[in-house]
Protein backbone atom coordinates (compact mmCIF):
# COMPACT_ATOMS: atom_id res chain seq x y z
CA UNK A 1 0.00 0.00 0.00
CA UNK A 2 1.22 3.51 -0.87
CA UNK A 3 0.77 6.16 1.82
CA UNK A 4 0.95 9.95 1.43
CA UNK A 5 1.90 12.15 4.36
CA UNK A 6 0.62 15.71 3.89
CA UNK A 7 -0.95 18.41 6.01
CA UNK A 8 -2.97 19.80 3.08
CA UNK A 9 -6.57 20.81 3.69
CA UNK A 10 -8.02 20.30 0.19
CA UNK A 11 -7.41 18.80 -3.26
CA UNK A 12 -7.19 15.19 -2.11
CA UNK A 13 -6.88 12.41 -4.70
CA UNK A 14 -9.61 9.85 -3.84
CA UNK A 15 -7.38 7.02 -5.13
CA UNK A 16 -4.68 7.72 -2.52
CA UNK A 17 -4.43 7.20 1.25
CA UNK A 18 -3.42 10.22 3.30
CA UNK A 19 -2.03 10.74 6.78
CA UNK A 20 -1.28 14.02 8.55
CA UNK A 21 2.44 14.08 9.40
CA UNK A 22 1.79 16.35 12.37
CA UNK A 23 0.27 13.32 14.14
CA UNK A 24 3.00 10.81 13.17
CA UNK A 25 4.28 8.62 15.98
CA UNK A 26 5.41 5.42 14.20
CA UNK A 27 5.37 3.77 10.74
CA UNK A 28 2.25 1.87 9.72
CA UNK A 29 2.29 -1.84 8.89
CA UNK A 30 1.72 -3.01 5.31
CA UNK A 31 3.12 0.14 3.69
CA UNK A 32 5.17 -0.49 0.53
CA UNK A 33 5.98 3.11 -0.45
CA UNK A 34 5.60 6.56 1.09
CA UNK A 35 5.24 10.03 -0.42
CA UNK A 36 6.02 12.82 2.02
CA UNK A 37 4.86 16.30 1.01
CA UNK A 38 6.83 18.97 2.84
CA UNK A 39 9.70 18.84 5.32
CA UNK A 40 8.96 15.96 7.70
CA UNK A 41 12.33 14.29 8.44
CA UNK A 42 10.95 12.15 11.29
CA UNK A 43 8.52 10.45 8.92
CA UNK A 44 11.20 9.99 6.22
CA UNK A 45 13.79 8.56 8.66
CA UNK A 46 11.31 6.12 10.29
CA UNK A 47 10.21 4.54 6.98
CA UNK A 48 13.73 4.51 5.48
CA UNK A 49 14.96 2.69 8.61
CA UNK A 50 12.49 -0.10 7.70
CA UNK A 51 13.79 -0.19 4.10
CA UNK A 52 10.57 1.25 2.64
CA UNK A 53 10.91 3.47 -0.44
CA UNK A 54 10.29 7.14 0.50
CA UNK A 55 9.76 10.03 -1.96
CA UNK A 56 9.82 13.62 -0.78
CA UNK A 57 8.02 16.44 -2.55
CA UNK A 58 9.01 19.93 -1.47
CA UNK A 59 6.27 22.46 -0.83
CA UNK A 60 6.39 26.07 -1.81
CA UNK A 61 7.29 28.24 1.13
CA UNK A 62 5.74 31.65 1.35
CA UNK A 63 7.56 34.26 3.31
CA UNK A 64 6.13 37.67 3.95
CA UNK A 65 8.80 40.23 3.33
CA UNK A 66 8.32 43.87 4.03
CA UNK A 67 8.67 46.65 6.47
CA UNK A 68 5.18 46.29 7.89
CA UNK A 69 5.09 46.47 11.61
CA UNK A 70 2.29 45.17 13.77
CA UNK A 71 0.57 48.57 13.90
CA UNK A 72 0.55 48.95 10.09
CA UNK A 73 -0.88 45.44 9.69
CA UNK A 74 -3.60 46.15 12.26
CA UNK A 75 -4.50 49.37 10.42
CA UNK A 76 -4.66 47.49 7.11
CA UNK A 77 -6.84 44.79 8.65
CA UNK A 78 -9.09 47.50 10.13
CA UNK A 79 -9.49 49.15 6.72
CA UNK A 80 -10.30 45.81 5.09
CA UNK A 81 -12.85 45.01 7.79
CA UNK A 82 -14.49 48.43 7.35
CA UNK A 83 -14.60 47.94 3.59
CA UNK A 84 -16.08 44.48 4.07
CA UNK A 85 -18.73 45.88 6.42
CA UNK A 86 -19.59 48.62 3.89
CA UNK A 87 -19.97 46.04 1.12
CA UNK A 88 -22.15 43.91 3.41
CA UNK A 89 -24.43 46.92 4.10
CA UNK A 90 -24.74 47.60 0.36
CA UNK A 91 -25.61 43.96 -0.34
CA UNK A 92 -28.32 44.11 2.34
CA UNK A 93 -29.59 47.33 0.73
CA UNK A 94 -29.74 45.61 -2.65
CA UNK A 95 -31.66 42.75 -1.07
CA UNK A 96 -34.18 45.28 0.25
CA UNK A 97 -33.29 44.73 3.90
CA UNK A 98 -31.94 48.22 4.59
CA UNK A 99 -31.96 51.69 3.02
CA UNK A 100 -29.06 52.42 0.69
CA UNK A 101 -26.45 54.72 2.24
CA UNK A 102 -23.33 56.03 0.48
CA UNK A 103 -20.23 54.45 2.03
CA UNK A 104 -17.76 56.82 3.63
CA UNK A 105 -14.61 55.10 2.36
CA UNK A 106 -13.25 52.17 0.37
CA UNK A 107 -12.89 51.97 -3.39
CA UNK A 108 -14.88 48.75 -3.77
CA UNK A 109 -17.89 49.82 -1.65
CA UNK A 110 -18.05 53.19 -3.43
CA UNK A 111 -17.93 51.51 -6.86
CA UNK A 112 -20.61 49.04 -5.76
CA UNK A 113 -22.76 51.91 -4.46
CA UNK A 114 -22.45 53.75 -7.78
CA UNK A 115 -23.37 50.62 -9.73
CA UNK A 116 -26.36 49.87 -7.50
CA UNK A 117 -27.49 53.51 -7.70
CA UNK A 118 -27.41 53.32 -11.50
CA UNK A 119 -29.45 50.12 -11.45
CA UNK A 120 -31.91 51.68 -8.99
CA UNK A 121 -32.37 54.76 -11.18
CA UNK A 122 -32.92 52.55 -14.22
CA UNK A 123 -35.57 50.52 -12.41
CA UNK A 124 -37.26 53.69 -11.14
CA UNK A 125 -37.38 55.01 -14.71
CA UNK A 126 -38.85 51.75 -15.95
CA UNK A 127 -41.50 51.82 -13.21
CA UNK A 128 -42.49 55.39 -14.16
CA UNK A 129 -42.69 54.43 -17.82
CA UNK A 130 -44.75 51.35 -16.93
CA UNK A 131 -47.16 53.46 -14.84
CA UNK A 132 -47.51 55.97 -17.70
CA UNK A 133 -48.26 53.17 -20.15
CA UNK A 134 -50.82 51.69 -17.75
CA UNK A 135 -52.60 55.07 -17.51
CA UNK A 136 -52.52 55.43 -21.29
CA UNK A 137 -53.83 51.88 -21.64
CA UNK A 138 -56.79 52.66 -19.36
CA UNK A 139 -57.59 55.78 -21.39
CA UNK A 140 -57.50 53.74 -24.61
CA UNK A 141 -59.80 51.13 -23.06
CA UNK A 142 -62.28 53.91 -22.23
CA UNK A 143 -62.15 55.19 -25.82
CA UNK A 144 -62.70 51.69 -27.19
CA UNK A 145 -65.69 51.20 -24.88
CA UNK A 146 -67.17 54.55 -26.05
CA UNK A 147 -66.65 53.61 -29.71
CA UNK A 148 -68.30 50.23 -29.15
CA UNK A 149 -71.28 51.89 -27.48
CA UNK A 150 -71.55 54.39 -30.36
CA UNK A 151 -71.32 51.56 -32.91
CA UNK A 152 -74.10 49.68 -31.12
CA UNK A 153 -76.23 52.84 -31.00
CA UNK A 154 -75.63 53.48 -34.71
CA UNK A 155 -76.65 49.91 -35.50
CA UNK A 156 -79.82 50.32 -33.40
CA UNK A 157 -80.56 53.72 -35.04
CA UNK A 158 -80.11 52.37 -38.56
CA UNK A 159 -82.62 49.59 -37.89
CA UNK A 160 -85.07 52.14 -36.48
CA UNK A 161 -84.48 54.51 -39.43
CA UNK A 162 -85.23 51.69 -41.88
CA UNK A 163 -88.43 50.93 -40.01
CA UNK A 164 -89.49 54.61 -40.10
CA UNK A 165 -88.71 54.82 -43.83
CA UNK A 166 -90.81 51.71 -44.46
CA UNK A 167 -93.80 53.29 -42.68
CA UNK A 168 -93.37 56.57 -44.61
CA UNK A 169 -92.97 54.65 -47.92
CA UNK A 170 -96.20 52.76 -47.23
CA UNK A 171 -97.97 56.10 -46.69
CA UNK A 172 -96.37 57.51 -49.89
CA UNK A 173 -94.58 60.26 -47.94
CA UNK A 174 -91.38 61.59 -49.51
CA UNK A 175 -88.27 62.24 -47.42
CA UNK A 176 -84.62 62.97 -47.97
CA UNK A 177 -82.41 59.89 -48.53
CA UNK A 178 -80.02 60.93 -45.76
CA UNK A 179 -82.70 62.10 -43.33
CA UNK A 180 -81.91 61.68 -39.65
CA UNK A 181 -83.93 59.55 -37.29
CA UNK A 182 -85.33 62.66 -35.62
CA UNK A 183 -86.43 64.14 -38.99
CA UNK A 184 -88.16 60.91 -39.97
CA UNK A 185 -89.87 60.71 -36.55
CA UNK A 186 -91.12 64.28 -37.02
CA UNK A 187 -92.55 63.46 -40.47
CA UNK A 188 -94.26 60.35 -39.04
CA UNK A 189 -95.72 62.43 -36.16
CA UNK A 190 -97.16 64.95 -38.67
CA UNK A 191 -98.60 62.06 -40.69
CA UNK A 192 -100.42 60.63 -37.70
CA UNK A 193 -101.83 64.10 -36.80
CA UNK A 194 -103.36 64.47 -40.26
Amino acid sequence: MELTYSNQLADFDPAKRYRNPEHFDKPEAGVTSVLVIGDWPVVVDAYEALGIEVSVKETVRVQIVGTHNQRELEELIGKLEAESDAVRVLVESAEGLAPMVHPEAGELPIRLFDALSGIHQGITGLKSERDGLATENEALRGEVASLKALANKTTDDSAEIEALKAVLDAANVTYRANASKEALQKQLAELTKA
Side-chain angles (χ1 to χ4, degrees):
M1 149 177 86
E2 181 181 338
L3 198 55
T4 301
Y5 281 87
S6 171
N7 62 353
Q8 68 195 57
L9 299 175
D11 301 324
F12 293 99
D13 182 349
K16 293 184 178 182
R17 295 175 183 239
Y18 290 86
R19 299 291 184 267
N20 189 330
E22 295 174 14
H23 305 292
F24 179 80
D25 59 351
K26 64 181 180 181
E28 291 189 28
V31 175
T32 57
S33 66
V34 174
L35 171 61
V36 178
I37 300 175
D39 186 25
W40 302 98
V42 174
V43 176
V44 173
D45 294 343
Y47 279 101
E48 284 180 344
L50 296 175
I52 296 173
E53 178 186 339
V54 177
S55 301
V56 177
K57 182 178 178 184
E58 292 296 323
T59 56
V60 177
R61 293 182 180 264
V62 177
Q63 185 176 8
I64 298 174
V65 179
T67 59
H68 295 289
N69 61 32
Q70 184 68 25
R71 186 168 167 244
E72 289 174 333
L73 290 174
E74 287 174 1
E75 286 176 9
L76 179 60
I77 290 170
K79 286 179 184 177
L80 291 173
E81 286 175 345
E83 194 166 296
S84 173
D85 291 343
V87 168
R88 196 170 283 112
V89 167
L90 289 172
V91 168
E92 288 174 359
S93 297
E95 292 172 339
L97 303 175
M100 202 152 97
V101 178
H102 193 284
E104 294 177 15
E107 178 188 354
L108 186 60
I110 290 172
R111 285 177 54 203
L112 180 58
F113 176 84
D114 292 342
L116 291 174
S117 294
I119 292 169
H120 179 69
Q121 289 171 353
I123 289 172
T124 301
L126 288 173
K127 284 181 180 178
S128 296
E129 190 175 330
R130 177 203 61 199
D131 293 345
L133 289 173
T135 302
E136 187 179 322
N137 186 27
E138 285 302 314
L140 288 173
R141 285 179 190 233
E143 284 183 42
V144 167
S146 297
L147 290 172
K148 282 183 179 178
L150 182 61
N152 288 340
K153 184 179 179 206
T154 303
T155 303
D156 294 344
D157 284 352
S158 63
E160 217 173 308
I161 288 171
E162 291 303 316
L164 290 169
K165 286 181 178 180
V167 171
L168 292 173
D169 287 342
N172 291 325
V173 175
T174 58
Y175 52 85
R176 287 186 336 219
N178 62 349
S180 68
K181 176 180 150 183
E182 290 77 20
L184 294 173
Q185 286 174 333
K186 186 176 178 184
Q187 279 186 300
L188 185 60
E190 288 174 7
L191 179 67
T192 53
K193 284 183 187 174

